[in-house]
């Protein structure tokens, strides 16, 4: 099929850069990836992947906890803080990235 239409999109620049990096390693230009996606939309009659919110484990899903459960978790966290068993978020995320990426 001949390509004759231009598609202009506004997306997050960081997301674009990261996607281009992945696609580059795969040898796929961004325009081809978008074309592949749109072809799959047509073939499947919808979004070609599940679009849903991730399911949180019951142990951290406040919607599934009683008020007493939530209170107990807050107290447990506060006790950890008082005993110095905490770390700042920047350090925690840094360690997570190092071990998962």
């Amino acid at each position: 099929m001949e390509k004759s239409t231009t598609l202009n999109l506004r997306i997050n620049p960081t997301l674009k850069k990261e996607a281009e990096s992945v696609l580059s390693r795969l040898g796929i230009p961004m325009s081809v990836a978008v074309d592949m996606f749109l072809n799959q939309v047509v073939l499947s009659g919808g979004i070609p992947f599940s679009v849903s919110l991730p399911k949180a484990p019951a142990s951290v899903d406040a919607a599934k906890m009683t008020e007493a459960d939530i209170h107990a978790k807050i107290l447990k966290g506060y006790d950890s803080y008082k005993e110095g068993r905490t770390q700042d978020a920047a350090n925690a995320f840094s360690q997570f990235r190092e071990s998962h990426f």
Side-chain angles (χ1 to χ4, degrees):
M1 181 182 300
E2 183 181 332
K3 294 181 181 184
S4 61
T5 300
T6 300
L7 180 64
N8 292 312
L9 304 168
R10 289 192 175 276
I11 61 170
N12 179 298
T14 303
L15 174 63
K16 179 180 181 273
K17 182 178 179 180
E18 291 174 357
E20 285 175 329
S21 175
V22 171
L23 292 170
S24 175
R25 287 182 276 159
L26 294 170
I28 301 172
M30 180 72 75
S31 61
V32 172
V34 171
D35 198 48
M36 291 167 63
F37 170 75
L38 295 175
N39 274 298
Q40 287 300 307
V41 167
V42 171
L43 288 170
S44 65
I47 303 294
F49 47 82
S50 174
V51 179
S52 61
L53 296 172
K55 294 181 181 169
S59 63
V60 295
D61 189 348
K64 295 180 181 174
M65 289 184 212
T66 65
E67 187 175 328
D69 292 334
I70 294 171
H71 186 71
K73 288 191 180 290
I74 291 171
L75 285 177
K76 182 179 177 185
Y78 183 67
D79 288 342
S80 290
Y81 166 75
K82 287 193 309 186
E83 294 171 12
R85 296 188 320 246
T86 60
Q87 61 180 317
D88 64 87
N91 186 39
F93 282 115
S94 176
Q95 288 180 354
F96 177 82
R97 283 187 205 96
E98 288 174 11
S99 64
H100 288 84
F101 297 104

